Amino acid sequence: MASAPASSFSATPPARSPQTSSSTASEHVAGLARIMVTWGILAMAMLFVRTPWQFYTARFFLGVAEAGFFPGVIFYLTQWFPQELRARAISRFYISLPLSFVFMGLIAGALLNLDGNLGLRGWQWLFLVEGIPPILLGIAFLYLLPDGPQQAKWLTEDERAWIIHHVHNDPSLSGQRSHNLSAALLDPRVWQLGLFMMLMLGSSYAYTFVAPDVIQRATHLSTSKVGYLVAALSLLGAAAMLLNGIYSDRVQRRTPHSNYPRYMHIIPWAFLISVGFFACGLSTNPINVIISIGTVIIAYNAMQGPLWSLPGSFFQGRSAAAGIATLNMIGMIGGFLGPYFVGFAKDLTGDYQRGLLLMSIPMLLGALIMFYLRAETRLRSPTLSPENPVPSSQ
C-alpha cells in the first residue's frame, strides 16, 4: 500500500462532520483522485529510467505521490461505516493487497514475455500496464465517488440519517470528540499503535521480498510454480482477511461502548506471525516451509480489518485524519527497516531462511504492545468492569 510518509494525505483536507460544509469532503475525494492519477503517471514514467539514480529519484516521487492514498481511504470509510461494521468494510478494501499478488503473479510473466515489442523491454511493459488502472480509477473516483452519505443518491433519507447518526455518535469513541489535529498527534495510543504497525510492516516487507527465494530453495520448484504457490497462499490470506473482519464486527456489536474485543482479533494473529517465522527458520522440510510462510501470510492479512478499525474509535474528524496519517507514517518506517533487517539477519546467519528466524522477535514485541493497549482500553471503558464483563465471543 502506501510506501512513503503520509504527508500528502495530511495536506489534503479530510471530510468533516455533518455540521460542516461539503466542500471539504469534496476536496478529500478530489485528493484521492489526484493521488491515483499522479501515481499512475509516475508509474508509467518509470519505463524511461536508465540509471540507478534515475530509478531512486523516480521511486521516491512515486512513493510521495501515492503516500496519502491508503490512509485517505481508511479515513473515508470511517465516514460511512460505524464501529460495528468497520472491520469488514476495511477488509473488503484491503483485500486488494493479497489479490494484487495473485493478479500480478498471473500476468507478470505474460508482460515480461512482451520483451522487444514496440522497442520496449519486458520490465518496461510492466510499468506501462501498471500505471493504466490507477489513472482510470482516479478519474472514476472524481466523477462517481460521493463526498459522503449526505451526497449519496442511492440512499433513502432513513438510511442516510442512520449512517450519519451512528458514525458521528459512536459510543465506542474513547478519545476526545474533537477535530483538533493536536489531539491525535499528542495521544500516546497513536504512537503505540504506530509502533505496532512499524513492527508489523517490517515483518511483512521482510517475508514479501524473501519468501519466493526461501520456498524455491526448499522445494526446488521452478520460478513460475513458486509464483503460483505464493498466489495460492495469498488467496488464503484474502479469505482470512474477510472472515476475521466479519467475525470481529459480530463480536464488536455485542460491546458497542468499547473496542476492547478488537484486540483479541489482532493479538493471536501477531503471535502466529512470530510462530510462522520461527518455524520457517528452523525447518528445511518443504512442506513445513510452505506451511510456515502460509501461516505468516494468513495471519498478517487476517488482522488488518480489526487493526485499522481501531483509529476511528480514538478520534473524529480532522483529528481522526491526522491520527490515521500518523499511524501510516510511523508504520512505513518498518517498510524501510524490514528488508535491511532481514538482509542483516542473512549476513549473520548465512541465508535468508535462518534470517527469518530473527523476524519472529518483532511481532512478539507487537503482541505485547497490543496487550498493553487492550489493558488501557479496559481502564478507559467504564462499562467494562467486574460487574459488566466482556461478553463471550462464542
Side-chain angles (χ1 to χ4, degrees):
M1 308 308 294
S3 48
S7 56
S8 59
F9 170 66
S10 299
T12 303
R16 295 182 183 175
S17 59
Q19 289 76 19
T20 60
S21 67
S22 63
S23 60
T24 303
S26 179
E27 291 172 10
H28 182 66
V29 172
L32 291 176
R34 173 189 54 78
I35 289 170
M36 294 290 286
V37 172
T38 308
W39 183 2
I41 292 172
L42 288 175
M44 296 172 71
M46 291 285 289
L47 65 90
F48 297 109
V49 165
R50 293 293 182 272
T51 68
W53 279 107
Q54 288 177 354
F55 175 83
Y56 298 146
T57 302
R59 188 61 187 87
F60 171 78
F61 283 109
L62 180 63
V64 171
E66 58 96 6
F69 178 74
F70 179 75
V73 172
I74 295 297
F75 174 75
Y76 183 76
L77 292 175
T78 64
Q79 307 307 295
W80 284 83
F81 298 94
Q83 184 63 232
E84 67 268 19
L85 298 174
R86 203 163 285 164
R88 74 183 71 185
I90 291 173
S91 66
R92 288 172 185 174
F93 157 68
Y94 210 143
I95 197 177
S96 59
L97 176 64
L99 291 183
S100 68
F101 288 110
V102 177
F103 181 71
M104 288 306 297
L106 295 176
I107 72 166
L111 291 175
L112 289 172
N113 288 334
L114 292 176
D115 188 77
N117 284 271
L118 301 180
L120 298 177
R121 303 296 299 272
W123 64 268
Q124 291 175 308
W125 278 106
L126 275 175
F127 284 116
L128 178 63
V129 174
E130 175 189 283
I132 295 174
I135 294 175
L136 296 179
L137 288 172
I139 296 172
F141 271 28
L142 188 60
Y143 290 101
L144 301 178
L145 198 65
D147 300 335
Q150 299 94 327
Q151 291 77 31
K153 297 179 180 179
W154 68 82
L155 293 175
T156 66
E157 287 302 321
D158 288 342
E159 290 170 338
R160 182 177 295 107
W162 186 92
I163 292 173
I164 292 173
H165 172 77
H166 284 80
V167 166
H168 296 281
N169 295 278
D170 183 1
S172 71
L173 185 67
S174 55
Q176 302 177 34
R177 294 184 179 270
S178 164
H179 300 279
N180 192 332
L181 295 177
S182 63
L185 298 178
L186 297 177
D187 193 298
R189 293 173 300 173
V190 171
W191 298 93
Q192 291 157 0
L193 196 57
L195 179 59
F196 173 86
M197 291 182 179
M198 184 182 75
L199 296 170
M200 178 190 71
L201 285 176
S203 300
S204 169
Y205 274 69
Y207 83 75
T208 298
F209 283 119
V210 306
D213 179 77
V214 171
I215 292 175
Q216 191 167 42
R217 287 176 180 271
T219 62
H220 304 291
L221 294 173
S222 66
T223 301
S224 59
K225 289 182 178 178
V226 170
Y228 294 143
L229 183 57
V230 171
L233 295 176
S234 297
L235 279 177
L236 293 177
M241 182 181 291
L242 289 177
L243 293 174
N244 194 46
I246 292 171
Y247 177 69
S248 182
D249 279 346
R250 188 175 70 179
V251 176
Q252 176 66 30
R253 193 174 295 119
R254 302 174 188 173
T255 55
H257 295 281
S258 174
N259 59 17
Y260 180 82
R262 292 285 194 205
Y263 294 96
M264 290 313 297
H265 304 138
I266 300 170
I267 293 171
W269 299 109
F271 276 120
L272 274 178
I273 291 175
S274 182
V275 169
F277 279 130
F278 189 80
C280 182
L282 291 179
S283 178
T284 57
N285 182 280
I287 301 299
N288 290 342
V289 169
I290 293 171
I291 291 175
S292 299
I293 291 180
T295 298
V296 173
I297 293 174
I298 290 170
Y300 173 82
N301 285 287
M303 71 168 69
Q304 298 306 315
L307 176 63
W308 282 102
S309 69
L310 290 176
S313 65
F314 294 169
F315 309 103
Q316 287 185 335
R318 289 178 61 83
S319 61
I324 293 170
T326 303
L327 291 175
N328 190 66
M329 179 186 68
I330 299 170
M332 291 317 302
I333 297 174
F336 175 79
L337 296 177
Y340 281 98
F341 185 86
V342 79
F344 167 77
K346 178 195 175 185
D347 293 339
L348 192 65
T349 60
D351 59 46
Y352 280 126
Q353 188 169 354
R354 293 291 182 267
L356 288 179
L357 185 63
L358 292 180
M359 294 306 301
S360 63
I361 298 174
M363 287 315 295
L364 280 179
L365 298 176
L368 294 177
I369 291 172
M370 281 296 163
F371 270 121
Y372 176 80
L373 283 170
R374 181 172 178 260
E376 284 288 300
T377 300
R378 190 180 186 92
L379 292 176
R380 287 173 177 263
S381 304
T383 56
L384 297 179
S385 63
E387 293 76 23
N388 297 285
V390 178
S392 170
S393 60
Q394 301 299 321

